Amino acid sequence: MNILMTGGTGLIGSEFIRKYASEHSFTVVSRNANKARQVLGDSIQTLESIASITNIEAFDAVINLAGEPIADKRWTDTQKKKICDSRWNTTAELVAKINASDKPPKTLISGSAIGFYGNQGDRLVTEETHPHDEFTHDLCAKWETIANGVNMNRIRVATLRTGVVLSDKGGALDKMALPFKLGVGGTLGSGAQYLAWIHLQDMVRAIAFLLEHDACKGPFNLTAPEPVTNKAFSKSLASALGRPCLFNVPSFVMKMAMGESSTMILEGQCVIPKKLTTAGFKFDYPTVDEALSEIYSA
Ligand code: NDP
């Protein structure tokens, strides 16, 4: 397939390209051509903006992953706007390009996150669960709505309600592992909050699965089938690193350090990938122990 990708220099996109470079050809929209060349090599074609795409009909599929990192900075009003605009505007531009074409790509796979559901406590969350209204819900709901603005008679849309992607190549795990590596790791807040996660390899395999299965439409939870509490995750992480899990960072400390964005760690969702497993996708890393031991034994 000829695939157009935004966010292709990021954790998920770059791994997808690495894994499938011999099967598909890729064009990546990146704000920084030098960075794209460094991350992806010279063989991947890059474009500096969506506006510069002149041949959308040349692509079989579009994978839309671009966005300002969500958890890197405090959620000031300015930062929230950047997080939203970077996703909503990119997606709206893509949708306009696609809708203006006489022969649009067949498939649009577009980003979203389990933040769509908001805080759900220990309730089991599937794609049908009613969301709780908060910042991450508003962000993801509008992101999905904009993607769904393509002419659905002509193009299939699947949105990726992604959990925390586990990898040693970047993303949240590096930050989560650091205190354990320093010997001061432990649970965060009550430890009872759920963490829905997915191994990077299953993440990219699941995107490929959605790309190949024409019956897969709408939102999909991209999370492993066994979400865990923060307490269980912390124990597994300590064990995979061969370090102790002795400490606890109280909620108020997390709130002081991170502000509103601490809700992403102190609250959670027990999300399961109902639609993906029903469609026949098989996870290589269904449990957190398998995922973490693969990551840290590599
Ligand atoms: P990364 O943060 O690794 O990469 C995203 C890419 O988006 C970057 O490489 C960058 O590309 C582009 N980007 C960054 N900031 C901006 C901005 N302000 N405006 C426009 N483009 C920007 O993301 P991941 O690969 O980790 O994730 C891909 C998508 O999946 C993201 O949208 C993310 O929100 C979502 N997701 C990821 C999760 C995870 O755990 N990794 C969990 C849930 C959702 P360039 O510099 O080349 O333009």
Side-chain angles (χ1 to χ4, degrees):
M1 273 186 225
N2 200 5
I3 297 174
L4 176 71
M5 187 183 281
T6 73
T9 58
L11 177 69
I12 299 167
S14 63
E15 186 59 25
F16 188 89
I17 292 173
R18 250 190 298 279
K19 195 171 174 76
Y20 296 106
S22 60
E23 265 174 66
H24 304 301
S25 66
F26 292 93
T27 300
V28 169
V29 179
S30 170
R31 296 162 304 161
N32 183 335
N34 284 338
K35 171 187 163 190
R37 215 168 296 121
Q38 268 172 16
V39 176
L40 303 169
D42 289 331
S43 61
I44 303 296
Q45 199 194 335
T46 58
L47 295 170
E48 63 186 20
S49 66
I50 291 167
S52 64
I53 302 168
T54 52
N55 59 341
I56 191 88
E57 39 288 303
F59 298 100
D60 303 299
V62 179
I63 301 178
N64 175 36
L65 300 172
E68 171 78 12
I70 292 181
D72 281 11
K73 294 185 181 153
R74 281 176 90 93
W75 287 350
T76 59
D77 287 347
T78 311
Q79 187 58 19
K80 278 184 175 176
K81 184 168 168 15
K82 211 168 167 187
I83 289 169
C84 292
D85 286 351
S86 60
R87 290 172 174 78
W88 297 347
N89 295 348
T90 308
T91 308
E93 265 192 82
L94 267 179
V95 166
K97 238 332 144 192
I98 289 168
N99 283 345
S101 165
D102 289 338
K103 192 177 166 293
K106 222 174 111 197
T107 310
L108 170 63
I109 308 265
S110 194
S112 184
I114 54 169
F116 175 90
Y117 299 107
N119 181 23
Q120 294 283 341
D122 54 10
R123 190 176 310 126
L124 209 60
V125 174
T126 71
E127 288 84 355
E128 288 128 44
T129 300
H130 190 69
H132 189 255
D133 199 5
E134 52 195 73
F135 171 63
T136 56
H137 169 71
D138 297 343
L139 167 69
C140 295
K142 187 161 170 188
W143 194 8
E144 292 186 15
T145 302
I146 295 170
N148 288 329
V150 290
N151 182 342
M152 293 216 201
N153 294 325
R154 303 197 301 166
I155 178 163
R156 171 175 70 95
V157 183
T159 50
L160 312 170
R161 292 185 183 163
T162 305
V164 175
V165 177
L166 300 184
S167 162
D168 59 352
K169 294 177 180 155
L173 186 60
D174 273 354
K175 290 174 199 143
M176 292 159 107
L178 185 63
F180 289 90
K181 288 179 179 169
L182 297 173
V184 293
T187 52
L188 303 174
S190 74
Q193 70 278 27
Y194 270 88
L195 175 72
W197 58 275
I198 183 168
H199 190 294
L200 178 61
Q201 289 308 318
D202 279 333
M203 179 72 204
V204 295
R205 287 180 53 250
I207 295 176
F209 181 92
L210 294 175
L211 209 52
E212 284 155 15
H213 288 75
D214 286 346
C216 292
K217 291 179 186 165
F220 283 81
N221 292 340
L222 268 72
T223 59
E226 293 192 23
V228 287
T229 61
N230 174 269
K231 190 173 179 185
F233 184 84
S234 303
K235 279 189 183 163
S236 294
L237 183 53
S239 158
L241 291 167
R243 298 290 172 142
C245 180
L246 301 173
F247 296 88
N248 169 254
V249 185
S251 300
F252 78 91
V253 175
M254 300 288 301
K255 282 180 192 159
M256 275 192 329
M258 297 176 65
E260 188 187 344
S261 66
S262 63
T263 53
M264 285 197 302
I265 291 168
L266 297 173
E267 298 175 355
Q269 306 88 1
C270 185
V271 182
I272 54 162
K274 188 175 169 194
K275 280 177 68 183
L276 206 51
T277 45
T278 305
F281 181 76
K282 299 271 183 281
F283 285 80
D284 282 346
Y285 303 99
T287 69
V288 78
D289 285 336
E290 287 168 285
L292 292 173
S293 65
E294 189 283 329
I295 288 167
Y296 290 114
S297 68

Coordinates of all heavy atoms in Angstrom, one line a residue, residues 131-185:
P131 N -18.8 8.0 28.1 CA -17.6 8.7 28.6 C -17.9 9.7 29.7 O -19.1 10.1 29.9 CB -17.1 9.5 27.4 CG -18.3 9.6 26.5 CD -19.2 8.5 26.8
H132 N -16.9 10.0 30.5 CA -17.0 11.0 31.6 C -16.4 12.3 31.0 O -15.3 12.3 30.5 CB -16.2 10.5 32.8 CG -16.4 11.3 34.0 ND1 -15.5 12.2 34.5 CD2 -17.5 11.4 34.8 CE1 -15.9 12.8 35.6 NE2 -17.1 12.3 35.8
D133 N -17.1 13.4 31.2 CA -16.7 14.6 30.5 C -15.6 15.3 31.3 O -15.8 15.7 32.4 CB -18.0 15.6 30.5 CG -17.8 16.6 29.4 OD1 -16.8 16.6 28.7 OD2 -18.7 17.5 29.3
E134 N -14.4 15.4 30.7 CA -13.3 16.1 31.2 C -12.4 16.5 30.1 O -12.7 16.2 28.9 CB -12.6 15.3 32.3 CG -12.2 13.9 31.9 CD -11.8 13.1 33.1 OE1 -12.7 12.6 33.9 OE2 -10.6 12.8 33.3
F135 N -11.2 17.1 30.4 CA -10.4 17.7 29.3 C -10.0 16.6 28.3 O -10.2 16.8 27.0 CB -9.1 18.3 29.8 CG -8.1 18.7 28.8 CD1 -8.5 19.6 27.8 CD2 -6.9 18.0 28.7 CE1 -7.5 19.9 26.8 CE2 -6.0 18.4 27.7 CZ -6.3 19.3 26.7
T136 N -9.6 15.4 28.7 CA -9.1 14.4 27.8 C -10.3 13.9 26.9 O -10.1 13.5 25.8 CB -8.4 13.2 28.5 OG1 -9.3 12.7 29.4 CG2 -7.1 13.7 29.1
H137 N -11.5 13.8 27.5 CA -12.6 13.4 26.7 C -12.9 14.4 25.6 O -13.1 14.1 24.5 CB -13.9 13.2 27.6 CG -15.1 13.1 26.7 ND1 -15.3 12.0 26.0 CD2 -16.1 14.0 26.4 CE1 -16.4 12.1 25.3 NE2 -16.9 13.3 25.5
D138 N -12.9 15.7 26.0 CA -13.2 16.8 25.0 C -12.2 16.7 23.9 O -12.5 16.8 22.7 CB -13.2 18.2 25.6 CG -14.3 18.3 26.7 OD1 -15.2 17.5 26.7 OD2 -14.2 19.2 27.5
L139 N -10.9 16.6 24.3 CA -9.8 16.5 23.3 C -10.1 15.3 22.3 O -10.0 15.5 21.1 CB -8.5 16.3 24.0 CG -7.3 15.9 23.1 CD1 -6.9 17.0 22.3 CD2 -6.1 15.4 24.0
C140 N -10.3 14.2 22.8 CA -10.4 13.0 22.0 C -11.7 12.9 21.2 O -11.8 12.5 20.0 CB -10.3 11.7 22.8 SG -8.6 11.5 23.5
A141 N -12.8 13.4 21.9 CA -14.1 13.3 21.2 C -14.1 14.2 20.0 O -14.6 13.8 18.9 CB -15.2 13.7 22.2
K142 N -13.6 15.4 20.1 CA -13.6 16.3 18.9 C -12.6 15.8 17.9 O -12.8 15.9 16.7 CB -13.2 17.7 19.4 CG -13.4 18.7 18.3 CD -13.5 20.2 18.8 CE -13.4 21.1 17.6 NZ -13.3 22.5 18.0
W143 N -11.4 15.2 18.3 CA -10.4 14.7 17.4 C -11.1 13.6 16.5 O -10.9 13.6 15.3 CB -9.3 14.1 18.3 CG -8.0 13.7 17.6 CD1 -7.6 14.0 16.3 CD2 -6.9 13.1 18.3 NE1 -6.3 13.5 16.2 CE2 -5.9 12.9 17.3 CE3 -6.7 12.6 19.6 CZ2 -4.7 12.3 17.7 CZ3 -5.5 12.0 19.9 CH2 -4.5 11.9 18.9
E144 N -11.9 12.7 17.2 CA -12.6 11.6 16.5 C -13.7 12.2 15.5 O -13.8 11.8 14.4 CB -13.2 10.6 17.4 CG -12.2 9.8 18.2 CD -12.8 8.7 19.1 OE1 -14.0 8.4 18.9 OE2 -12.1 8.2 19.9
T145 N -14.4 13.2 16.1 CA -15.5 13.8 15.3 C -15.0 14.4 14.0 O -15.6 14.3 12.9 CB -16.3 14.8 16.1 OG1 -16.8 14.2 17.3 CG2 -17.4 15.4 15.4
I146 N -13.8 15.1 14.1 CA -13.3 15.7 12.9 C -12.8 14.6 11.9 O -13.1 14.8 10.7 CB -12.1 16.6 13.3 CG1 -12.5 17.8 14.2 CG2 -11.3 17.2 12.1 CD1 -11.4 18.6 14.8
A147 N -12.2 13.6 12.4 CA -11.8 12.5 11.5 C -13.0 11.9 10.8 O -13.0 11.5 9.6 CB -11.0 11.4 12.3
N148 N -14.1 11.8 11.6 CA -15.3 11.2 11.0 C -16.1 12.1 10.0 O -17.1 11.7 9.5 CB -16.3 10.8 12.2 CG -15.8 9.6 12.9 OD1 -15.1 8.7 12.4 ND2 -16.0 9.5 14.2
G149 N -15.5 13.3 9.8 CA -16.0 14.2 8.9 C -15.7 13.9 7.4 O -16.2 14.6 6.5
V150 N -14.9 12.9 7.2 CA -14.7 12.5 5.8 C -16.0 11.9 5.2 O -16.8 11.5 6.0 CB -13.5 11.4 5.6 CG1 -12.2 12.0 6.0 CG2 -13.8 10.2 6.4
N151 N -16.1 11.9 3.9 CA -17.2 11.3 3.3 C -17.2 9.8 3.5 O -16.4 9.1 2.8 CB -17.2 11.7 1.8 CG -18.4 11.1 1.1 OD1 -19.1 10.2 1.6 ND2 -18.7 11.7 0.0
M152 N -18.0 9.3 4.4 CA -17.9 7.9 4.8 C -18.4 6.9 3.8 O -18.2 5.7 3.9 CB -18.5 7.6 6.1 CG -17.8 8.3 7.3 SD -17.8 7.4 8.7 CE -17.5 8.6 10.0
N153 N -19.1 7.5 2.8 CA -19.5 6.6 1.7 C -18.3 6.2 0.8 O -18.3 5.2 0.1 CB -20.5 7.3 0.7 CG -21.8 7.6 1.5 OD1 -22.2 6.8 2.3 ND2 -22.4 8.7 1.2
R154 N -17.2 7.0 0.9 CA -16.1 6.7 0.0 C -14.8 6.3 0.8 O -13.9 5.8 0.2 CB -15.7 8.0 -0.7 CG -16.9 8.5 -1.5 CD -16.6 9.5 -2.6 NE -15.9 10.7 -2.1 CZ -15.2 11.5 -2.9 NH1 -15.1 11.3 -4.2 NH2 -14.6 12.6 -2.3
I155 N -14.8 6.5 2.1 CA -13.6 6.2 2.9 C -13.9 5.6 4.2 O -14.9 6.0 4.9 CB -12.7 7.4 3.0 CG1 -11.4 7.1 3.8 CG2 -13.4 8.6 3.6 CD1 -10.3 8.1 3.6
R156 N -13.2 4.5 4.6 CA -13.4 3.9 5.9 C -12.6 4.6 7.0 O -11.4 4.9 6.7 CB -13.0 2.4 5.7 CG -13.0 1.6 7.0 CD -12.7 0.1 6.7 NE -11.4 -0.1 6.2 CZ -10.4 -0.5 7.0 NH1 -10.6 -0.7 8.3 NH2 -9.2 -0.7 6.5
V157 N -13.2 4.8 8.1 CA -12.5 5.4 9.2 C -12.4 4.5 10.4 O -13.4 4.0 10.9 CB -13.1 6.8 9.7 CG1 -12.3 7.5 10.7 CG2 -13.4 7.7 8.5
A158 N -11.2 4.4 11.0 CA -11.0 3.7 12.3 C -10.2 4.6 13.2 O -9.2 5.2 12.8 CB -10.3 2.4 12.1
T159 N -10.7 4.8 14.4 CA -10.0 5.7 15.3 C -9.4 4.9 16.5 O -10.0 3.9 16.9 CB -10.9 6.8 15.9 OG1 -12.1 6.2 16.4 CG2 -11.3 7.8 14.9
L160 N -8.2 5.3 16.9 CA -7.4 4.5 17.8 C -7.4 5.0 19.2 O -6.7 5.9 19.6 CB -5.9 4.5 17.3 CG -5.6 4.3 15.8 CD1 -4.2 4.6 15.5 CD2 -6.0 2.9 15.4
R161 N -8.3 4.4 20.0 CA -8.4 4.8 21.4 C -7.3 4.1 22.2 O -7.4 3.0 22.7 CB -9.8 4.5 22.0 CG -10.8 5.4 21.4 CD -12.2 5.3 22.0 NE -13.1 6.1 21.3 CZ -14.5 5.9 21.4 NH1 -15.0 5.0 22.2 NH2 -15.3 6.7 20.7
T162 N -6.1 4.8 22.2 CA -4.9 4.1 22.6 C -4.6 4.2 24.1 O -4.8 5.3 24.6 CB -3.7 4.8 21.8 OG1 -4.0 4.7 20.4 CG2 -2.4 4.1 22.0
G163 N -4.1 3.1 24.7 CA -3.7 3.1 26.1 C -2.2 3.6 26.1 O -1.6 4.0 25.1
V164 N -1.6 3.4 27.3 CA -0.2 3.8 27.5 C 0.6 2.8 26.7 O 0.6 1.6 27.0 CB 0.1 3.9 29.0 CG1 1.6 4.2 29.2 CG2 -0.7 4.9 29.7
V165 N 1.4 3.4 25.8 CA 2.2 2.5 24.9 C 3.5 2.2 25.6 O 4.3 3.1 26.0 CB 2.5 3.2 23.5 CG1 3.3 2.3 22.7 CG2 1.1 3.4 22.8
L166 N 3.8 0.9 25.8 CA 5.0 0.5 26.6 C 6.1 0.2 25.6 O 6.0 -0.7 24.7 CB 4.7 -0.7 27.5 CG 3.6 -0.5 28.5 CD1 3.5 -1.8 29.4 CD2 3.9 0.7 29.4
S167 N 7.3 0.8 25.8 CA 8.4 0.6 24.9 C 9.6 1.2 25.6 O 9.5 2.1 26.5 CB 8.2 1.4 23.6 OG 9.4 1.5 22.9
D168 N 10.8 0.6 25.3 CA 12.0 1.2 25.8 C 12.6 2.3 24.8 O 13.7 2.8 25.0 CB 13.1 0.2 26.1 CG 13.5 -0.6 24.9 OD1 12.8 -0.5 23.9 OD2 14.4 -1.4 25.0
K169 N 11.8 2.6 23.8 CA 12.3 3.5 22.8 C 11.7 4.9 23.1 O 12.0 5.9 22.3 CB 11.8 3.1 21.4 CG 12.5 1.8 21.0 CD 12.1 1.4 19.6 CE 12.8 0.1 19.2 NZ 12.0 -0.7 18.3
G170 N 11.0 5.1 24.1 CA 10.4 6.4 24.4 C 9.0 6.3 25.0 O 8.6 5.2 25.3
G171 N 8.4 7.4 25.2 CA 7.0 7.4 25.7 C 7.0 7.4 27.2 O 8.0 7.7 27.9
A172 N 5.9 7.0 27.8 CA 5.7 7.1 29.3 C 6.6 6.1 30.1 O 6.9 6.5 31.2 CB 4.2 6.8 29.6
L173 N 6.9 5.0 29.5 CA 7.6 3.9 30.4 C 8.9 4.4 30.9 O 9.3 4.1 32.0 CB 7.7 2.6 29.6 CG 8.3 1.4 30.4 CD1 7.4 1.1 31.6 CD2 8.4 0.2 29.5
D174 N 9.7 5.1 30.1 CA 11.0 5.7 30.5 C 10.8 6.4 31.8 O 11.6 6.3 32.7 CB 11.6 6.6 29.4 CG 12.4 5.9 28.4 OD1 12.6 4.6 28.6 OD2 12.8 6.5 27.4
K175 N 9.8 7.3 31.8 CA 9.6 8.2 33.0 C 9.1 7.4 34.2 O 9.5 7.6 35.3 CB 8.6 9.3 32.7 CG 9.1 10.3 31.7 CD 8.0 11.3 31.3 CE 8.4 11.9 30.0 NZ 7.3 12.2 29.1
M176 N 8.3 6.4 33.9 CA 7.8 5.5 35.0 C 8.9 4.7 35.6 O 8.9 4.4 36.8 CB 6.6 4.6 34.4 CG 5.4 5.4 34.0 SD 4.4 4.4 32.9 CE 3.1 3.9 33.9
A177 N 9.8 4.3 34.7 CA 10.9 3.3 35.2 C 12.0 4.0 36.0 O 12.6 3.4 36.8 CB 11.5 2.6 34.0
L178 N 12.2 5.4 35.7 CA 13.3 6.0 36.3 C 13.4 5.9 37.8 O 14.4 5.5 38.4 CB 13.3 7.5 35.9 CG 14.5 8.3 36.4 CD1 15.8 7.8 35.7 CD2 14.4 9.8 36.0
P179 N 12.3 6.2 38.6 CA 12.4 6.1 40.1 C 12.8 4.6 40.5 O 13.5 4.4 41.4 CB 11.1 6.5 40.6 CG 10.2 6.8 39.4 CD 11.0 6.8 38.2
F180 N 12.3 3.6 39.7 CA 12.6 2.2 40.1 C 14.1 2.0 39.8 O 14.8 1.4 40.6 CB 11.8 1.3 39.2 CG 10.3 1.3 39.6 CD1 9.4 2.1 39.1 CD2 9.9 0.4 40.6 CE1 8.1 2.2 39.5 CE2 8.5 0.4 41.0 CZ 7.6 1.3 40.4
K181 N 14.6 2.5 38.7 CA 16.0 2.3 38.4 C 16.9 3.0 39.5 O 18.0 2.5 39.8 CB 16.4 2.9 37.0 CG 15.8 2.1 35.9 CD 16.1 2.7 34.5 CE 15.6 1.9 33.4 NZ 15.6 2.5 32.1
L182 N 16.4 4.1 40.1 CA 17.1 4.8 41.2 C 16.9 4.1 42.5 O 17.4 4.6 43.5 CB 16.7 6.3 41.2 CG 17.0 7.1 39.9 CD1 16.4 8.5 40.0 CD2 18.5 7.1 39.7
G183 N 16.1 3.1 42.6 CA 15.8 2.4 43.8 C 14.7 3.0 44.7 O 14.6 2.7 45.8
V184 N 14.0 4.0 44.1 CA 13.0 4.7 44.9 C 11.6 4.5 44.3 O 10.7 5.3 44.5 CB 13.3 6.2 45.2 CG1 14.5 6.4 46.0 CG2 13.5 6.9 43.8
G185 N 11.4 3.5 43.6 CA 10.1 3.3 42.9 C 9.0 2.8 43.8 O 9.3 2.2 44.9

